[in-house]
Amino acid sequence: MSIRRRLVGLVTATALLVSAAPALATDTQPLALYVNGRELFLPQVPILKENRVLVPMRAYLESLGAEVGWEPPDLVTAALGGRTVQLRIGEQTALVDGRSVPLDVPAQLIEDRTYVPLRFLSEGLGATVEYDGEAAAVTVQTAPPGQLEVIDGPLNVRQSPSTSSPILMTVPLGTRLEIVTEEPGSEWTEVLLPGGLRGWVANRYTRTLGSQPVVEPFLPILEQRAFLQAGGQCVGAVPIIADLTLVPLAETMRALGGSLERTEDGAGMRARLSGRELMLVPGSVEGWLDGQLRILTAAPVVVGGRPFVAARDVADIFGLPLSWSDATHTVTIGEAGTVCNPPAAAKAYIMMDAATGAVLSEYNARDPLYIASTTKIMTALLAVERGNPNSVVTVSSTAASQPGTSVYLRAGEQRTLGELLYGLMLVSGNDAAVAIAEHISGSEESFAWLMNQRAAELGARNTYFVTASGLDDWVDPYSTAEDLAAIAQHALQNPRFRSYMYPTQAVIPGPWGNRQLTNSNLFTLRYPGATGVKNGWTEKAAYTLVASAWRDGREVLLVLLGAPTRTELYSQAYNLMDHGFILAGQSWLLN
């Protein structure tokens, strides 16, 4: 058995049915636990024992988004953000990134559960811990990722900390850059660029990223999902398990105007709404409404420290109307409000948070469709991952003779890879696409194989690339809105990729003078806060678009496929993106 295994991979319909919390020993005190501002409702509660805070190992590590491993009979391994902790039950020392560290309290078994010391485990994984004795609460902040985010762009990354220093790269709003050195009070920060290159950015145009809500434990259970409207807002994507729509209880109660709190013994939860009180225990179908027994449709389950209950139980118990829409895949508790999945004059779309991949809205997002020149996102991603932007590419006759949109490359012409990438992303040059493919893999056919391999690595399971350009006259490539979003979301994490997708114009040399390249993506040119990404059209695909935009510290990613006209494409994109920022502000995953 691998010692490093993501715990959420074990979450299935049966594994979710956790047992109720065991009765605590008489010398322990239950505590409330908060991670990055969210109270955790763990199946087994944290306890204060012998003046030390202990937490249930597996449930806590899952809520943190850590990888957890277990080697019988007693070895525990946890990994988070590049840091690793190993400890054995009952031993007074542990390993932090291979270094031996003494423990004042060892990991131990309590009521047949493995409990570990909270402060040591959290700080060993890079988090900070604060204990409030009066409130009987512990607060954990996971370590920020050591990144800057561009808040005023485009931003020049320079060779040295000076405005007169040569520019290494220019990146748009929302770009995240890894910090190398950050001196307090300094006006500049050194950052790491792709390929190991280092540069400097002016601090007044960036902010240091702080700890974010942990979403990793929830993404696997949202593979099968619906969307929840409650209290007049779209709470967001929620899991469907065993044909039941489950809703996050704490956030649903707040949206409905109620509350959720832990019971005094820490073993259950108390939901209050409209003067009524419901007592629940994870793993039990027995609930108590105002002291009267109620049998639930399904037992509440806890994933990532969040309790989930069946939507129909919330509605039935508190006397609220419940409705379901097959068209929008939305369950509504109470009155309808913000629409989760608005209608679209296109075949499919999806919106997600660009930083986390949390889905905000979708329509036919898993339908295989033609995607036209949005294919070039993968072409550009592979080029920046595997190529050097300064390397010289000799254009073949095959590349120069490509039909459709073009940079007007000539056979035998030599251009740098970086220049070809501007031609690829700004004017959608099919000739540039094939020249890049041949440079990276030797032939377009070999490059297409590489594209499919990379797509599979990124979780795009229903995608088939045939060409580097997206031309589909004689072949049948396809992808889905969801797959294309997964590819684009990963690409947006690469500053080098971003540097080629957003400029209004670029100039590259040609045999008879400079070529003036003007960005053909009207979304990038016209939408406030737009950062990219790529548009496309073929007769088979109709009009397609992958768009990203940054607003109030958040970036939203939109994929829109099969719009009937160019006007409809951009009109729908502007409306959906506006709506996406509203949904991001209401999402239970992000707030």
Side-chain angles (χ1 to χ4, degrees):
M1 176 180 180
S2 172
I3 62 172
R4 294 187 62 183
R5 187 173 179 185
R6 184 163 294 279
L7 180 60
V8 293
L10 300 176
V11 176
T12 62
T14 54
L16 283 171
L17 300 178
V18 296
S19 60
L24 297 173
T26 56
D27 62 338
T28 63
Q29 174 187 350
L31 299 170
L33 176 61
Y34 298 84
V35 173
N36 293 359
R38 276 185 179 160
E39 183 176 6
L40 300 188
F41 293 85
L42 301 178
Q44 300 84 37
V45 295
I47 59 175
L48 184 66
K49 184 176 183 183
E50 299 174 359
N51 210 31
R52 293 292 185 271
V53 177
L54 303 175
V55 289
M57 177 199 73
R58 188 171 292 274
Y60 175 66
L61 289 174
E62 179 201 46
S63 69
L64 226 58
E67 294 178 345
V68 58
W70 169 265
E71 280 193 3
D74 56 6
L75 178 63
V76 176
T77 302
L80 180 67
R83 307 186 68 167
T84 303
V85 171
Q86 283 189 324
L87 52 83
R88 292 187 183 275
I89 296 173
E91 290 195 0
Q92 295 290 150
T93 60
L95 295 177
V96 178
D97 294 333
R99 295 180 295 105
S100 181
V101 176
L103 296 176
D104 53 357
V105 176
Q108 55 196 274
L109 293 175
I110 299 175
E111 301 288 348
D112 294 326
R113 303 282 178 176
T114 302
Y115 276 72
V116 292
L118 173 66
R119 184 174 296 277
F120 163 77
L121 182 61
S122 302
E123 293 179 351
L125 293 174
T128 60
V129 180
E130 293 184 6
Y131 170 59
D132 185 342
E134 291 187 7
V138 188
T139 300
V140 176
Q141 289 291 120
T142 59
Q147 291 182 326
L148 296 176
E149 186 171 56
V150 178
I151 60 173
D152 188 3
L155 175 65
N156 293 326
V157 183
R158 297 187 178 270
Q159 188 172 326
S160 62
S162 168
T163 54
S164 61
S165 176
I167 298 172
L168 299 175
M169 185 187 304
T170 303
V171 293
L173 282 170
T175 303
R176 296 187 172 196
L177 300 166
E178 186 177 342
I179 297 171
V180 177
T181 57
E182 186 177 30
E183 297 181 7
S186 173
E187 295 181 357
W188 295 83
T189 295
E190 188 179 17
V191 295
L192 184 65
L193 300 174
L197 189 67
R198 296 187 178 192
W200 294 83
V201 293
N203 290 343
R204 63 182 177 273
Y205 303 121
T206 67
R207 67 172 181 178
T208 302
L209 290 177
S211 300
Q212 302 292 320
V214 178
V215 303
E216 288 81 3
F218 307 109
L219 298 184
I221 68 168
L222 291 171
E223 282 290 312
Q224 298 298 322
R225 56 183 175 259
F227 290 80
L228 170 65
Q229 287 181 296
Q233 60 182 296
C234 177
V235 178
V238 294
I240 297 177
I241 297 175
D243 294 327
L244 285 176
T245 301
L246 303 183
V247 299
L249 184 58
E251 291 82 1
T252 302
M253 294 305 298
R254 280 200 295 270
L256 293 170
S259 64
L260 180 71
E261 62 186 32
R262 193 178 294 284
T263 56
E264 288 77 7
D265 62 1
M269 297 166 290
R270 181 184 293 110
R272 291 191 173 101
L273 180 64
S274 302
R276 310 204 75 179
E277 180 179 279
L278 175 66
M279 301 280 289
L280 300 169
V281 175
S284 174
V285 294
E286 293 186 349
W288 297 86
L289 180 63
D290 298 331
Q292 298 296 313
L293 176 66
R294 288 291 297 262
I295 302 301
L296 307 177
T297 302
V301 298
V302 177
V303 179
R306 312 309 295 161
F308 289 81
V309 299
R312 68 180 61 171
D313 284 332
V314 175
D316 290 348
I317 288 172
F318 290 106
L320 299 170
L322 178 72
S323 61
W324 169 263
S325 168
D326 283 328
T328 63
H329 221 54
T330 300
V331 61
T332 301
I333 302 176
E335 295 183 3
T338 302
V339 176
C340 296
N341 299 319
K347 291 181 179 179
Y349 72 78
I350 192 169
M351 287 189 285
M352 65 170 54
D353 175 57
T356 64
V359 175
L360 303 172
S361 180
E362 65 185 356
Y363 171 70
N364 295 337
R366 293 179 177 174
D367 287 0
L369 297 167
Y370 297 111
I371 63 173
S373 285
T374 55
T375 297
K376 294 182 173 83
I377 293 171
M378 177 60 85
T379 302
L381 176 61
L382 287 172
V384 299
E385 288 181 339
R386 292 175 172 259
N388 183 330
N390 297 317
S391 62
V392 176
V393 180
T394 300
V395 179
S396 71
S397 58
T398 301
S401 62
Q402 290 297 303
T405 51
S406 175
V407 189
Y408 301 104
L409 300 173
R410 306 290 290 185
E413 178 182 352
Q414 292 188 321
R415 297 271 61 87
T416 67
L417 180 60
E419 290 167 348
L420 293 178
L421 280 165
Y422 280 122
L424 179 81
M425 295 299 287
L426 299 187
V427 300
S428 202
N430 297 327
D431 49 357
V434 175
I436 290 170
E438 292 175 340
H439 174 71
I440 298 295
S441 296
S443 69
E444 188 175 21
E445 291 78 11
S446 296
F447 189 77
W449 181 90
L450 190 62
M451 295 170 76
N452 289 318
Q453 181 187 50
R454 192 71 179 104
E457 291 171 355
L458 297 176
R461 293 167 300 208
N462 201 4
T463 293
Y464 177 58
F465 292 114
V466 181
T467 65
S469 62
L471 288 175
D472 52 21
D473 283 346
W474 311 111
V475 292
D476 292 306
Y478 59 84
S479 186
T480 68
E482 183 178 55
D483 279 6
L484 197 50
I487 294 168
Q489 193 239 343
H490 181 83
L492 288 174
Q493 297 172 22
N494 189 309
R496 182 78 67 189
F497 174 89
R498 283 178 172 269
S499 69
Y500 296 108
M501 71 180 189
Y502 80 92
T504 303
Q505 292 183 326
V507 177
I508 67 173
W512 304 284
N514 288 336
R515 297 180 174 99
Q516 186 79 27
L517 307 180
T518 300
N519 197 327
S520 65
N521 184 352
L522 294 185
F523 184 90
T524 301
L525 297 177
R526 295 179 181 177
Y527 188 83
T531 55
V533 178
K534 188 73 187 74
N535 58 329
W537 176 88
T538 65
E539 190 172 346
K540 284 183 178 180
Y543 291 87
T544 64
L545 178 69
V546 177
S548 59
W550 195 89
R551 185 184 299 171
D552 297 330
R554 191 178 302 283
E555 189 170 33
V556 170
L557 174 65
L558 164 68
V559 177
L560 186 61
L561 300 179
T565 67
R566 188 168 179 259
T567 299
E568 294 254 19
L569 176 78
Y570 288 111
S571 174
Q572 192 70 40
Y574 302 149
N575 292 335
L576 282 173
M577 187 63 77
D578 284 344
H579 194 67
F581 283 106
I582 294 173
L583 297 178
Q586 297 179 359
S587 167
W588 73 272
L589 270 174
L590 301 180
N591 297 281

